[in-house]
Amino acid sequence: NEIGQDASELGHELGNEGSQFGHEASNSAINFGHELSQEAAADKIASSAANAASNVAGSAANAAGSIAGSAAHAAHDVASAAGNVASSAANAASNVAGSAANAAHDVANAAGNAASSAANAASNVAGSAANAASNAAGSAANAAGSIAGSASHAAHDVASAAGNVASSAANAASNVAGSAANAAGIIAGSAANAAHDVANAAGNVASSAANAASNVAGSAANAAGSIAGSASHAAHDVASAAGNVASSAANAA
């Protein structure tokens, strides 16, 4: 690729130089023709000759430029072909090296996969053995736990039965004591109620006697008050009559 690029740059430089040379020669010929035309403007024959010379010189310059450009393009094509050949050879060598590397990689992958499979198989065997041992130990532990649990439940049932018997006896004794206490309480309550009734009867008799004496005293007091009031009214009436007589006499006088 580098050789082809160098040859391509050389071909472009040669083509550019040839084209520039042709343009310069053409410009020189055109300028020369114009100068001849300007100097012999009045002479059509000289002008025609100058134009013909200019055309010939321009054609020659164009031909030279074309030849130089063709040679530059040919050199560029040769350099490109050489670069393509070199690039193809380099690609072929790269493909061969890549294929060899891929083959070595595939072999290494196959070996690694085989080793990994063997390691996984050994790990699975060891794991299965460990799981079997763990399951056996777990089963033995469960059996021992079940036996211990059954013995514990049996002891609990015996203790519960004894506790129930003791509780029943205690409840029976408590019920007997409670019944006796209730009977004693009922007897004491009945006696207290009888004493209360006797005291109420005595209180009622005393209250009735006191009310009768109070009524008698009140009646006597009322009678004495009535008598005193009547006497007071009679005296008032006598005094009023005397006053009226005196007042009438006074009025008469």
Side-chain angles (χ1 to χ4, degrees):
N1 286 331
E2 291 176 356
I3 294 172
Q5 187 176 358
D6 293 336
S8 177
E9 290 176 357
L10 178 61
H12 280 295
E13 290 176 358
L14 291 175
N16 289 331
E17 290 177 357
S19 177
Q20 185 176 0
F21 174 76
H23 283 295
E24 289 176 355
S26 177
N27 289 330
S28 298
I30 291 171
N31 290 329
F32 178 73
H34 281 297
E35 290 176 357
L36 292 176
S37 178
Q38 289 176 358
E39 291 175 356
D43 190 359
K44 291 181 180 181
I45 296 173
S47 177
S48 297
N51 286 329
S54 177
N55 289 330
V56 170
S59 298
N62 288 328
S66 297
I67 292 169
S70 297
H73 281 289
H76 177 264
D77 293 337
V78 171
S80 294
N84 291 330
V85 171
S87 177
S88 298
N91 288 329
S94 177
N95 291 330
V96 171
S99 298
N102 288 330
H105 181 263
D106 293 337
V107 171
N109 282 334
N113 290 330
S116 178
S117 298
N120 287 329
S123 176
N124 290 331
V125 171
S128 298
N131 287 329
S134 177
N135 290 331
S139 298
N142 287 330
S146 297
I147 294 170
S150 298
S152 176
H153 280 291
H156 179 263
D157 293 338
V158 172
S160 294
N164 290 330
V165 172
S167 178
S168 298
N171 286 331
S174 177
N175 289 331
V176 171
S179 298
N182 287 330
I186 291 171
I187 293 171
S190 298
N193 287 331
H196 182 265
D197 292 338
V198 171
N200 282 335
N204 289 331
V205 172
S207 178
S208 296
N211 286 331
S214 176
N215 290 331
V216 171
S219 296
N222 286 331
S226 295
I227 294 171
S230 297
S232 175
H233 280 289
H236 179 267
D237 291 339
V238 171
S240 293
N244 289 333
V245 170
S247 177
S248 294
N251 288 331

